[in-house]
């Protein structure tokens, strides 16, 4: 196995050498570690990335090898490096106000692009910070770093879907390629095992992030291709609007019936970020609707995870045709529709209270004594009385 790893170190993509290096370090495989360090030292991986991802002693050796092979750094280069480190430290601290101050200091001025700040945030920072950096409108969202990677390529390696969406919303080009011809989708797919992508999560488990990231990028790629070909087909647009209507209704009902829980789910999904631009092109409009559909879907899935019984009742509620168009039909038909609507609404509320009672019991049992747990387990959840 060790010999096999030694053979592939010289041929693998440089980013694939990093996990081999880490394994060699942790398992004291000195020859393999030495080969990896030598390969990385000669590579175009930047020092910022290496210092962030490698153990200090390993990074120190790589840094020393690089200094030996390079001429003495100019004082101006060292000064620029210090300025860039200050930018990155501000990002690490989630301190955008400090970042603004650093950008405005005349004696230490450095631009976000010079610091590859958006690349850094996309790789290592909280998604909220990525959005705040983007909102400054001071960074080129499609800038290539020293290796030719854009922030979207970096985010694809991280596989954080909210960062991908933030970059795409600000104009990141999904079809942009690295110097070796890879798109963000290629990078994301290469880092995702087929069994992980196709794995069906059980109810209550977190969403499949691998699949979600790939779906976000592929949706954007399809809309970009549609823009190159022409106007999206009526069938695709109609299907998109049908799905949007369903999820808009689902989230609206959730906000009406249990607003506090729906608000939390929407904040998790960032579902209120899709702004309408009356001057946008038809293709841009379609792209925005795709992103809106994605956030609404995630909102619904969050609700399904925390309120499973309620979600099942809401499924029935939304597809029951008898609850629609109260004003149509005879007086008797309208009366029956209203009665059926009230019955479904009552069933939905009962399911909601059952879910809350179950969550309360689960929460209590995890922090109480065994006797208290037994008592709670035997008590029935509160059920609202039917009117």
């Amino acid at each position: 196995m060790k010999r096999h790893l030694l053979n592939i170190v010289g041929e693998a993509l440089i980013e694939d050498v990093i996990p081999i290096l880490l394994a060699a370090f942790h398992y004291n495989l000195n020859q393999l570690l030495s080969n990896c360090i030598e390969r990385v030292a000669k590579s175009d991986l930047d020092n910022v990335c290496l210092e962030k991802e490698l153990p200090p002693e390993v990074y120190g050796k790589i840094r020393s090898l690089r200094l030996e092979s390079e001429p003495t750094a100019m004082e101006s280069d060292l000064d620029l490096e210090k300025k860039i480190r200050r930018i990155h430290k501000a990002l690490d601290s989630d301190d955008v106000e400090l970042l603004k101050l650093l950008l405005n200091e005349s004696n230490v001025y450095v631009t976000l692009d010079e610091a590859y700040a958006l690349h850094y945030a996309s790789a290592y920072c909280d998604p909220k910070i990525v959005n705040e950096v983007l909102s400054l409108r001071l960074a080129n969202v499609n800038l290539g770093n020293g290796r030719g990677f854009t922030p979207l390529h970096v985010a694809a390696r991280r596989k954080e879907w909210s960062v991908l969406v933030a970059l795409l919303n600000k104009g990141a080009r999904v079809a942009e390629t690295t110097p070796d011809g890879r798109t963000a989708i290629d990078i994301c797919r290469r880092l995702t095992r087929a069994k992980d992508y196709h794995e069906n999560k059980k109810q209550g488990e977190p969403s499949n992030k691998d699949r979600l990231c790939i779906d976000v990028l592929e949706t954007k790629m399809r809309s970009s291709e549609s823009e190159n070909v022409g106007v999206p087909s009526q069938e695709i647009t109609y299907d998109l609007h049908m799905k949007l209507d369903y999820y808009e209704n689902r989230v609206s009902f959730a906000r009406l019936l249990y607003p506090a829980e729906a608000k939390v789910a929407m904040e998790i999904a960032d579902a209120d970020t899709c702004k309408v631009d009356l001057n946008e092109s038809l293709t841009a409009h379609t792209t925005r609707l795709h992103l809106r559909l994605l956030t609404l879907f995630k909102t619904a899935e969050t609700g399904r995870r925390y309120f499973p019984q309620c979600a099942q009742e809401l499924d029935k509620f939304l597809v029951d045709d008898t609850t629609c168009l109260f004003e149509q039909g005879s007086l008797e038909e309208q009366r029956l529709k209203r009665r059926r609507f009230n019955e479904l609404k009552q069933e939905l509320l009962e399911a909601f209270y059952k879910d809350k009672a179950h969550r309360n019991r689960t929460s209590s049992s995890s922090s109480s004594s065994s006797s208290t747990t037994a008592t709670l387990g035997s008590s029935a959840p509160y059920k609202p009385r039917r009117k």
Side-chain angles (χ1 to χ4, degrees):
M1 180 63 179
K2 185 169 71 173
R3 180 170 296 181
H4 176 65
L5 290 173
L6 282 168
N7 290 335
I8 68 173
V9 163
E11 301 174 1
L13 290 172
I14 188 59
E15 52 259 39
D16 292 338
V17 174
I18 299 298
I20 299 175
L21 185 155
L22 291 171
F25 172 77
H26 289 300
Y27 290 100
N28 298 316
L29 304 176
N30 295 327
Q31 184 181 356
L32 181 60
L33 178 61
S34 178
N35 284 17
C36 290
I37 287 175
E38 185 177 346
R39 171 83 196 279
V40 172
K42 295 177 179 178
S43 74
D44 56 1
L45 289 176
D46 62 85
N47 287 330
V48 172
C49 159
L50 297 176
E51 186 176 14
K52 192 79 176 176
E53 298 180 12
L54 297 179
E57 53 266 53
V58 174
Y59 171 70
K61 292 178 181 178
I62 293 172
R63 179 79 166 163
S64 297
L65 286 173
R66 287 183 166 182
L67 289 174
E68 289 175 7
S69 62
E70 297 171 356
T72 304
M74 299 288 290
E75 186 175 344
S76 59
D77 293 335
L78 294 175
D79 185 46
L80 177 61
E81 186 175 337
K82 288 179 182 178
K83 296 174 186 176
I84 291 173
R85 283 179 179 276
R86 294 180 69 184
I87 295 286
H88 292 168
K89 285 181 179 178
L91 291 171
D92 284 334
S93 303
D94 295 349
D95 196 339
V96 177
E97 292 305 315
L98 174 59
L99 178 65
K100 292 177 184 177
L101 289 174
L102 292 173
L103 293 175
N104 291 326
E105 286 184 7
S106 58
N107 61 324
V108 291
Y109 184 77
V110 62
T111 67
L112 291 181
D113 285 346
E114 285 175 318
Y116 295 123
L118 190 53
H119 292 78
Y120 187 88
S122 298
Y124 305 117
C125 296
D126 187 277
K128 177 176 72 73
I129 299 302
V130 177
N131 275 292
E132 292 188 20
V133 173
L134 286 166
S135 69
L136 297 176
R137 298 182 178 276
L138 297 174
N140 179 357
V141 75
N142 290 301
L143 177 71
N145 62 12
R147 303 188 63 217
F149 279 53
T150 68
L152 192 67
H153 295 139
V154 173
R157 287 191 56 78
R158 178 180 176 179
K159 293 197 293 186
E160 176 59 59
W161 71 267
S162 56
V163 175
L164 294 172
V165 170
L167 293 169
L168 292 170
N169 282 344
K170 293 298 183 180
R173 293 191 290 266
V174 71
E176 195 82 17
T177 61
T178 61
D180 59 359
R182 290 179 291 161
T183 65
I185 298 174
D186 296 330
I187 292 170
C188 209
R189 280 198 169 279
R190 188 173 180 276
L191 295 172
T192 301
R193 297 183 302 176
K195 70 177 225 175
D196 292 336
Y197 178 83
H198 294 292
E199 179 184 11
N200 291 318
K201 295 288 185 180
K202 294 180 181 178
Q203 186 170 295
E205 292 184 355
S207 302
N208 189 320
K209 289 182 67 174
D210 295 314
R211 182 164 59 205
L212 196 56
C213 288
I214 292 171
D215 288 348
V216 166
L217 292 168
E218 289 188 335
T219 297
K220 181 64 176 179
M221 181 67 86
R222 283 194 295 270
S223 64
S224 298
E225 290 171 351
S226 298
E227 184 174 4
N228 293 332
V229 173
V231 178
S233 72
Q234 280 189 325
E235 183 178 347
I236 293 174
T237 305
Y238 176 76
D239 182 59
L240 174 59
H241 279 281
M242 290 290 289
K243 290 179 179 177
L244 265 174
D245 284 344
Y246 173 80
Y247 282 106
E248 291 280 9
N249 286 336
R250 187 185 187 94
V251 172
S252 295
F253 274 115
R255 295 176 72 178
L256 175 67
L257 296 170
Y258 32 96
E261 288 77 8
K263 185 173 184 293
V264 172
M266 291 183 72
E267 286 179 357
I268 292 172
D270 202 18
D272 281 332
T273 59
C274 296
K275 302 286 191 297
V276 176
D277 180 1
L278 297 178
N279 296 317
E280 67 185 353
S281 68
L282 179 59
T283 303
H285 173 74
T286 304
T287 300
R288 179 173 57 78
L289 293 185
H290 274 292
L291 293 172
R292 175 69 177 170
L293 178 59
L294 178 66
T295 55
L296 290 171
F297 171 77
K298 185 161 181 63
T299 301
E301 289 305 298
T302 301
R304 190 182 298 279
R305 189 159 67 246
Y306 290 104
F307 297 92
Q309 296 185 67
C310 189
Q312 291 177 10
E313 292 298 327
L314 192 55
D315 288 338
K316 294 191 295 184
F317 187 92
L318 289 171
V319 299
D320 196 310
D321 293 335
T322 63
T323 63
C324 302
L325 302 176
F326 292 150
E327 71 280 2
Q328 292 188 4
S330 65
L331 290 175
E332 178 62 19
E333 288 173 338
Q334 291 179 35
R335 187 181 66 79
L336 290 173
K337 287 179 181 180
R338 290 186 182 280
R339 186 174 71 182
R340 178 57 182 154
F341 175 86
N342 289 329
E343 287 175 354
L344 287 170
K345 182 178 177 181
Q346 187 65 27
E347 291 171 4
L348 182 60
L349 288 171
E350 288 183 5
F352 173 65
Y353 284 117
K354 286 179 182 178
D355 282 328
K356 289 196 72 172
H358 174 73
R359 288 179 63 79
N360 289 338
R361 288 200 307 272
T362 303
S363 176
S364 299
S365 63
S366 64
S367 58
S368 62
S369 63
S370 57
S371 59
T372 304
T373 303
T375 303
L376 289 173
S378 62
S379 62
Y382 167 74
K383 294 184 180 180
R385 187 186 307 168
R386 284 184 180 271
K387 295 182 179 179

